[in-house]
Structure formats: structure tokens, C-alpha cells
Coordinates of all heavy atoms in Angstrom, one line a residue:
G1 N 118.9 98.1 114.0 CA 119.2 99.5 114.3 C 120.1 100.3 113.4 O 120.3 101.5 113.5
S2 N 120.6 99.6 112.3 CA 121.5 100.3 111.4 C 121.0 100.4 110.0 O 121.7 100.8 109.1 CB 122.9 99.6 111.4 OG 122.7 98.2 111.1
Y3 N 119.7 100.0 109.8 CA 119.1 100.0 108.5 C 117.8 100.8 108.5 O 117.0 100.8 109.5 CB 118.8 98.6 108.0 CG 120.1 97.7 107.9 CD1 120.3 96.7 108.8 CD2 121.0 98.0 106.9 CE1 121.4 95.9 108.7 CE2 122.2 97.2 106.8 CZ 122.3 96.1 107.7 OH 123.4 95.3 107.6
S4 N 117.5 101.5 107.4 CA 116.2 102.1 107.1 C 115.6 101.3 106.0 O 116.1 101.2 104.9 CB 116.4 103.5 106.7 OG 115.2 104.1 106.4
I5 N 114.5 100.6 106.4 CA 113.9 99.6 105.5 C 112.7 100.1 104.7 O 111.8 100.8 105.1 CB 113.4 98.4 106.4 CG1 114.5 98.0 107.3 CG2 112.9 97.3 105.5 CD1 115.8 97.5 106.7
T6 N 112.7 99.7 103.4 CA 111.6 99.9 102.5 C 111.2 98.5 101.9 O 112.1 97.9 101.3 CB 111.9 100.9 101.4 OG1 112.2 102.1 102.0 CG2 110.7 101.0 100.5
Q7 N 110.0 98.1 102.0 CA 109.5 96.9 101.3 C 109.2 97.2 99.9 O 108.5 98.1 99.6 CB 108.3 96.3 102.1 CG 108.6 95.7 103.4 CD 107.4 95.0 104.0 OE1 106.8 95.5 104.9 NE2 107.0 93.9 103.4
Y8 N 109.8 96.3 99.0 CA 109.6 96.5 97.6 C 108.1 96.2 97.2 O 107.5 95.2 97.6 CB 110.5 95.7 96.8 CG 110.2 95.7 95.3 CD1 110.7 96.7 94.5 CD2 109.4 94.7 94.8 CE1 110.3 96.7 93.2 CE2 109.0 94.7 93.4 CZ 109.5 95.7 92.6 OH 109.2 95.8 91.3
H9 N 107.6 97.0 96.3 CA 106.4 96.8 95.6 C 106.5 97.6 94.3 O 107.0 98.7 94.3 CB 105.2 97.2 96.4 CG 103.9 96.6 95.8 ND1 103.2 97.2 94.7 CD2 103.2 95.5 96.0 CE1 102.2 96.5 94.4 NE2 102.1 95.5 95.2
R10 N 106.0 97.0 93.2 CA 106.1 97.7 91.9 C 105.4 99.0 91.9 O 105.6 99.9 91.0 CB 105.7 96.8 90.8 CG 104.2 96.4 90.8 CD 103.9 95.4 89.7 NE 104.0 96.1 88.4 CZ 103.9 95.4 87.2 NH1 103.7 94.1 87.2 NH2 104.1 96.1 86.1
S11 N 104.5 99.2 92.9 CA 103.8 100.5 92.9 C 104.5 101.6 93.7 O 103.9 102.7 93.8 CB 102.3 100.3 93.5 OG 102.4 99.9 94.8
L12 N 105.6 101.3 94.3 CA 106.4 102.3 95.0 C 106.6 103.5 94.0 O 107.0 103.2 92.8 CB 107.8 101.8 95.4 CG 107.8 100.9 96.6 CD1 109.2 100.3 96.8 CD2 107.4 101.6 97.9
P13 N 106.4 104.7 94.4 CA 106.5 105.9 93.5 C 107.8 105.9 92.6 O 107.7 106.1 91.4 CB 106.4 107.1 94.4 CG 105.6 106.6 95.6 CD 106.0 105.1 95.8
T14 N 108.9 105.7 93.3 CA 110.2 105.7 92.5 C 110.2 104.6 91.5 O 110.6 104.8 90.3 CB 111.4 105.5 93.5 OG1 111.3 106.5 94.5 CG2 112.7 105.7 92.7
V15 N 109.8 103.4 91.9 CA 109.8 102.2 90.9 C 108.8 102.4 89.8 O 109.1 102.2 88.7 CB 109.5 100.9 91.7 CG1 109.4 99.8 90.7 CG2 110.6 100.7 92.7
A16 N 107.6 102.9 90.2 CA 106.6 103.2 89.2 C 107.1 104.2 88.1 O 106.8 104.1 86.9 CB 105.3 103.6 89.8
R17 N 107.8 105.2 88.6 CA 108.3 106.3 87.7 C 109.3 105.7 86.8 O 109.3 106.0 85.6 CB 108.8 107.4 88.5 CG 109.2 108.6 87.6 CD 109.6 109.9 88.4 NE 110.7 109.7 89.3 CZ 110.5 109.6 90.6 NH1 109.3 109.6 91.2 NH2 111.6 109.4 91.4
L18 N 110.2 104.9 87.3 CA 111.3 104.3 86.5 C 110.7 103.3 85.5 O 111.2 103.2 84.3 CB 112.3 103.5 87.4 CG 113.2 104.4 88.3 CD1 113.8 103.5 89.4 CD2 114.2 105.1 87.5
H19 N 109.6 102.6 85.9 CA 108.9 101.7 84.9 C 108.2 102.5 83.8 O 108.3 102.2 82.7 CB 107.9 100.9 85.7 CG 107.3 99.8 84.9 ND1 106.0 99.4 85.2 CD2 107.7 99.1 83.8 CE1 105.7 98.4 84.3 NE2 106.7 98.3 83.5
L20 N 107.6 103.6 84.2 CA 106.9 104.5 83.3 C 107.9 105.1 82.3 O 107.6 105.2 81.1 CB 106.1 105.6 84.0 CG 105.3 106.5 83.1 CD1 104.2 105.7 82.4 CD2 104.7 107.6 84.0
D21 N 109.1 105.4 82.8 CA 110.1 106.0 81.9 C 110.9 105.0 81.1 O 111.9 105.3 80.4 CB 111.1 106.8 82.8 CG 110.5 108.0 83.4 OD1 109.5 108.5 82.9 OD2 111.1 108.6 84.4
Q22 N 110.5 103.7 81.3 CA 111.1 102.6 80.6 C 112.5 102.3 80.9 O 113.3 101.7 80.2 CB 110.9 102.8 79.0 CG 109.5 102.8 78.6 CD 109.4 102.9 77.1 OE1 110.3 103.3 76.4 NE2 108.2 102.7 76.6
Q23 N 112.9 102.8 82.1 CA 114.2 102.4 82.6 C 114.2 101.0 83.3 O 115.2 100.4 83.5 CB 114.7 103.5 83.6 CG 115.0 104.8 83.0 CD 115.6 105.8 84.1 OE1 116.7 105.6 84.6 NE2 114.8 106.9 84.4
L24 N 113.0 100.6 83.7 CA 112.7 99.3 84.2 C 111.7 98.6 83.3 O 110.7 99.2 82.9 CB 112.2 99.3 85.6 CG 113.2 99.8 86.7 CD1 112.5 99.9 88.0 CD2 114.4 98.9 86.8
T25 N 111.9 97.4 82.9 CA 111.0 96.6 82.1 C 109.9 95.9 82.9 O 110.0 95.8 84.2 CB 111.7 95.6 81.2 OG1 112.2 94.6 82.1 CG2 112.9 96.2 80.4
D26 N 108.9 95.3 82.3 CA 107.9 94.6 83.0 C 108.5 93.4 83.7 O 108.2 93.1 84.8 CB 106.8 94.0 82.0 CG 105.9 95.1 81.4 OD1 105.9 96.2 82.0 OD2 105.3 94.9 80.4
A27 N 109.5 92.8 83.1 CA 110.2 91.6 83.7 C 111.0 92.1 84.9 O 111.1 91.3 85.9 CB 111.1 91.0 82.7
D28 N 111.5 93.3 84.9 CA 112.3 93.8 86.0 C 111.5 93.9 87.3 O 112.0 93.6 88.4 CB 112.9 95.2 85.7 CG 114.1 95.1 84.7 OD1 114.7 94.0 84.6 OD2 114.3 96.1 84.0
V29 N 110.3 94.4 87.1 CA 109.5 94.7 88.3 C 108.6 93.6 88.8 O 107.8 93.8 89.7 CB 108.6 96.0 88.0 CG1 109.5 97.2 87.7 CG2 107.6 95.7 86.9
T30 N 108.6 92.4 88.2 CA 107.8 91.3 88.6 C 108.7 90.2 89.1 O 109.8 90.0 88.7 CB 106.9 90.9 87.5 OG1 107.6 90.6 86.3 CG2 105.9 91.9 87.1
E31 N 108.1 89.3 89.9 CA 108.8 88.2 90.4 C 109.1 87.2 89.3 O 108.5 87.2 88.3 CB 108.0 87.5 91.6 CG 106.7 87.0 91.1 CD 105.9 86.2 92.3 OE1 106.6 85.4 92.9 OE2 104.8 86.6 92.5
P32 N 110.1 86.3 89.5 CA 110.9 86.1 90.7 C 112.0 87.1 90.8 O 112.5 87.7 89.8 CB 111.5 84.7 90.5 CG 111.6 84.5 89.0 CD 110.4 85.2 88.5
Y33 N 112.5 87.4 92.0 CA 113.5 88.4 92.3 C 114.8 87.8 92.7 O 115.9 88.5 92.5 CB 113.0 89.4 93.3 CG 111.7 90.0 93.1 CD1 110.5 89.7 93.8 CD2 111.6 91.0 92.0 CE1 109.3 90.3 93.5 CE2 110.4 91.6 91.7 CZ 109.2 91.2 92.5 OH 108.0 91.8 92.2
A34 N 114.8 86.7 93.2 CA 116.1 86.1 93.9 C 116.8 85.1 93.0 O 117.7 84.4 93.5 CB 115.7 85.6 95.3
E35 N 116.3 84.9 91.8 CA 117.0 83.9 91.0 C 118.5 84.2 90.8 O 119.4 83.3 90.8 CB 116.4 83.8 89.6 CG 115.0 83.0 89.6 CD 114.5 82.8 88.2 OE1 114.8 83.6 87.3 OE2 113.7 81.9 88.1
D36 N 118.8 85.5 90.6 CA 120.2 86.0 90.7 C 120.1 87.4 91.3 O 119.0 87.9 91.7 CB 120.8 86.0 89.3 CG 120.1 86.8 88.3 OD1 119.5 87.9 88.6 OD2 120.0 86.3 87.1
N37 N 121.2 88.1 91.3 CA 121.3 89.4 91.9 C 120.9 90.5 90.9 O 120.7 91.7 91.4 CB 122.6 89.7 92.5 CG 123.0 88.7 93.5 OD1 122.2 88.1 94.2 ND2 124.3 88.4 93.7
T38 N 120.8 90.2 89.6 CA 120.7 91.3 88.6 C 119.5 92.2 88.8 O 119.6 93.4 88.8 CB 120.7 90.6 87.2 OG1 121.9 89.8 87.1 CG2 120.7 91.7 86.1
K39 N 118.4 91.5 88.9 CA 117.1 92.3 88.9 C 117.0 93.2 90.2 O 116.7 94.4 90.1 CB 115.9 91.3 88.9 CG 114.6 92.0 88.7 CD 113.4 91.0 88.7 CE 113.5 90.1 87.5 NZ 112.3 89.2 87.4

């Protein structure tokens, strides 16, 4: 009840735009995600 949830997918509009603008790399937007916290 205290969170507003969004499930990640590389096609999310915000993520896709950041990827297109090269603020996110191909490696950033693809798994694995939990190896560390950085990505």
C-alpha cells in the first residue's frame, strides 16, 4: 500500500528514450540486472 509499481522492460517509453539518446547502453538495458546494484 505504500508503493506505486512499474515492471521494468527495455521498451518502457522512458527507458527506450534514454537508450535512444545513448544515456543508457545496450548492456544497461539487458539482463542480468541483479549482479550488483549499478545497472
Side-chain angles (χ1 to χ4, degrees):
S2 53
Y3 301 110
S4 177
I5 310 302
T6 299
Q7 286 187 253
Y8 170 83
H9 192 278
R10 61 183 298 172
S11 64
L12 283 173
T14 305
V15 175
R17 184 170 62 254
L18 289 166
H19 187 208
L20 184 64
D21 292 342
Q22 298 184 343
Q23 295 186 61
L24 294 173
T25 67
D26 289 343
D28 287 334
V29 299
T30 54
E31 61 177 311
Y33 304 109
E35 285 186 338
D36 57 39
N37 300 334
T38 305
K39 187 181 294 186

